[in-house]
Amino acid sequence: MRTPHVVIIGAGMGGLVAALDLAVHGLAVTLVERADVIGGKLAHVDIAGATIDVGPTVLTMRDVFEAIFARAGTTLADHLTLRPASLLARHAWNAEARLDLFADPRASEQAIGVFAGAAAARGFHRFCRDAQAIFKALETPFLRARTPRLKTLLAGAGISGLLAMARVSPFRPLWRALETYFPDPRLRQLFARYATYCGAAPTLAPATLMLIAHVEQSGVWLVEGGMYRLAEALRTLALTHGARLRTRSEVAEILAVGGRACGVRLASGEEIAADAVIANGDVAALAGGLFGDAGRRAVSAIAGGSRSLSAMTWAMRADVEGFPLAHHSVFFSPDYEAEFSDIVTHGRLPGRPSVYLCAQDRDDRGAWRASTTQAPAGGERLFCIVNAPACGDQRPLTDAEITRCEAVTLATLARCGLSLRSDPAKRLISTPADFAARFPATGGALYGRAIHGWQESFRRPGARTSLPGLYLAGGSVHPGAGLPMAALSGGHAAMSLLADLASTSRLHPVGMFGGISTPSATTLVTASR
């Protein structure tokens, strides 16, 4: 019996996991990547001799990755050193108003009580209770389902689960639902921010996204040496098990014969035959015809108005004064609704943005991660993010708009007491147009389809397409955006492919692997902030 051959397009997280899983099961795997590096959105850059993560900045849902490494006969600890974060993020609204949120909800409840009073602490307690209830209601019939359906969700949630969701009113926008817990608008901003983890505007995202708070409290981990080491570890394992990796190999077309995917044609003209193909990239690229007519017909188109958020980002070496940065710090705008109205309604950069800043030389509580008592020579490593519209392919930002965005971003930081000094030569700016170039057909959207409205979670495609032999992985398919979700999608694609090969061909049957169809976290969580 000959060995089935699979071509995987895209060496992002979903592609790496699919390649590893299939190689472990004895299939011949060729992983092709258009860039000269692997990782997709799990990326890093070198600035003045220092490596800075410019994608996900922490690892969440550790059990997902433990399962992936276990399927390959090893452990996560054999390849990575992880440090648990007890402080999730430090938040600021101005120079005086600051609040730390902790992995331990009891510590957060106490801090909220000091910050906003006993009623706010009680509201947080109820919020955590309901977030946990929603998670439990959705975990089996939705989160653990490979292809979730509303009918199975309603049947599987049970009476208690449906009552829990009714208490939260999941059909309301998250922003409005939070009013029942937090009269203080600052706390509504803090917990509405979870919507941006999956690229949604808090004013339009469904209230069910509050379950992300419960998931985050299950563990946040810092990776020693940087997040990119996760991609490197998966690549090494996949190659060890026999997979082949080809970078600088752009796919121009998915080939099909007799109504079935049968390989790919590269931009160079080379054709690679295969028994099946996995497309690990944004579904918009397939729907837009970037992989030929066969790929276009295999998926449904996504409307431009349904795109998730993009971002303006700055990776830099900088000197910092004033604000006691933690590893994760968030600086809020004075008007959250106006901020997302600018982005979603008007398609422009926010006039007064909120800012996320990752201080990568600091631990979760802000102490230097190296054995030193001072900042690294040349400035500490910072990664800064401001939400932006996914307009990179329609209306690239002008130099004036970018300059103004940088100015108002620095103004937000200054209002909260933080001063940054950075040499322009030690700063790398990325815009929606830059992300659109890296991820074609997205306009720079970083999370696939925006979860605006409760029905959107059911509109993500699953691993199988209408073209037999063609499968999907990545953050734009179920179970959703974010590093652990993309990893789960790669496992789903591999499992679906193995099952179909075993049932529809005379090829040697392959064993199934367990666990990947039962994620233990939300389909709507991203691994980065």
Side-chain angles (χ1 to χ4, degrees):
M1 296 281 183
R2 70 177 180 85
T3 301
H5 179 224
V6 179
V7 171
I8 301 175
I9 306 169
M13 181 53 55
L16 289 168
V17 171
L20 175 58
D21 277 333
L22 293 175
V24 164
H25 279 77
L27 274 67
V29 177
T30 301
L31 178 58
V32 293
E33 168 58 52
R34 69 192 290 261
D36 58 359
V37 294
I38 64 166
K41 296 183 180 74
L42 182 59
H44 64 176
V45 296
D46 183 274
I47 295 181
T51 299
I52 302 177
D53 285 327
V54 291
T57 54
V58 293
L59 187 144
T60 58
M61 297 166 59
R62 178 173 176 165
D63 61 313
V64 169
F65 298 98
E66 294 280 12
I68 292 167
F69 280 76
R71 295 197 295 268
T74 185
T75 69
L76 192 60
D78 288 335
H79 300 269
L80 299 174
T81 300
L82 305 180
R83 308 293 185 195
S86 59
L87 193 157
L88 299 178
R90 179 158 290 155
H91 307 85
W93 290 263
N94 54 50
E96 291 77 36
R98 298 174 185 170
L99 175 63
D100 289 348
L101 198 66
F102 300 91
D104 181 355
R106 293 170 298 181
S108 293
E109 184 175 340
Q110 182 177 4
I112 288 170
V114 173
F115 177 77
R122 291 192 295 271
F124 174 74
H125 185 84
R126 290 189 294 108
F127 171 80
C128 290
R129 177 202 64 193
D130 290 346
Q132 181 182 40
I134 292 175
F135 175 79
K136 288 183 176 180
L138 298 180
E139 183 178 14
T140 298
F142 184 82
L143 305 181
R144 293 180 180 269
R146 281 191 294 147
T147 307
R149 296 286 185 266
L150 180 59
K151 181 178 180 180
T152 56
L153 186 157
L154 295 175
I159 297 299
S160 61
L162 293 175
L163 289 174
M165 288 191 287
R167 184 169 64 239
V168 175
S169 300
F171 303 121
R172 285 188 299 170
L174 176 63
W175 183 250
R176 297 305 173 198
L178 290 173
E179 292 176 348
T180 63
Y181 304 98
F182 306 113
D184 190 319
R186 299 171 300 178
L187 295 177
R188 290 201 298 274
Q189 278 185 303
L190 192 160
F191 294 103
R193 184 174 166 272
Y194 284 119
T196 66
Y197 285 28
C198 58
T203 51
L204 299 172
T208 47
L209 287 186
M210 62 191 286
L211 62 81
I212 298 174
H214 174 72
V215 172
E216 190 173 56
Q217 289 166 359
S218 68
V220 172
W221 305 83
L222 308 183
V223 179
E224 289 298 317
M227 286 294 297
Y228 194 73
R229 291 199 173 182
L230 175 59
E232 293 174 327
L234 290 169
R235 173 186 59 191
T236 297
L237 276 175
L239 296 179
T240 298
H241 283 277
R244 297 178 61 218
L245 171 65
R246 296 180 56 175
T247 57
R248 300 181 182 179
S249 299
E250 182 174 1
V251 172
E253 184 179 3
I254 294 170
L255 304 176
V257 173
R260 181 178 179 84
C262 63
V264 301
R265 180 174 59 80
L266 303 182
S268 65
E270 177 187 357
E271 293 188 0
I272 306 175
D275 296 286
V277 175
I278 296 176
N280 175 56
D282 201 289
V283 177
L286 279 167
L290 298 190
F291 295 109
D293 287 341
R296 178 180 56 79
R297 291 192 297 266
V299 298
S300 300
I302 178 172
S306 298
R307 288 173 173 171
S308 67
L309 298 174
S310 186
M312 284 284 300
T313 71
W314 294 264
M316 69 184 86
R317 303 284 299 278
D319 296 318
V320 175
E321 290 182 353
F323 186 90
L325 287 175
H327 189 79
H328 301 293
S329 299
V330 183
F331 306 86
F332 284 109
S333 70
D335 190 337
Y336 224 32
E337 291 182 283
E339 178 178 348
F340 287 96
S341 176
D342 280 345
I343 297 170
V344 177
T345 304
H346 301 290
R348 64 194 180 202
L349 292 171
R352 303 178 76 180
S354 297
V355 182
Y356 163 73
L357 196 151
C358 179
Q360 298 181 18
D361 290 303
R362 302 177 186 243
D363 67 14
D364 58 320
R365 292 183 176 269
W368 300 116
R369 297 181 71 179
S371 56
T372 180
T373 59
Q374 58 186 10
E380 59 180 295
R381 300 172 299 152
L382 303 177
F383 182 49
C384 181
I385 303 175
V386 166
N387 291 314
C391 60
D393 57 348
Q394 300 167 352
R395 191 188 66 81
L397 301 174
T398 66
D399 290 343
E401 288 175 305
I402 295 170
T403 299
R404 182 179 181 279
C405 184
E406 187 168 11
V408 296
T409 296
L410 291 173
T412 295
L413 300 179
R415 176 169 47 82
C416 296
L418 177 63
S419 174
L420 297 181
R421 295 191 310 278
S422 176
D423 182 343
K426 296 181 179 180
R427 188 165 62 240
L428 176 65
I429 301 175
S430 293
T431 70
D434 295 319
F435 291 117
R438 288 175 56 193
F439 311 111
T442 66
L446 297 174
Y447 310 88
R449 180 188 289 271
I451 307 298
H452 289 164
W454 66 272
Q455 293 178 309
E456 289 301 320
S457 295
F458 296 96
R459 291 175 177 163
R460 291 187 185 272
R464 292 183 174 90
T465 71
S466 62
L467 176 66
L470 176 61
Y471 303 84
L472 303 178
S476 65
V477 306
H478 181 74
L483 197 62
M485 296 296 101
L488 286 166
S489 77
H492 289 325
M495 184 176 65
S496 298
L497 188 157
L498 289 169
D500 291 347
L501 281 178
S503 64
T504 63
S505 77
R506 294 184 178 181
L507 299 173
H508 184 67
V510 290
M512 297 293 104
F513 47 87
I516 65 170
S517 64
T518 56
S520 60
T522 171
T523 63
L524 310 173
V525 176
T526 64
S528 63
R529 290 167 166 77

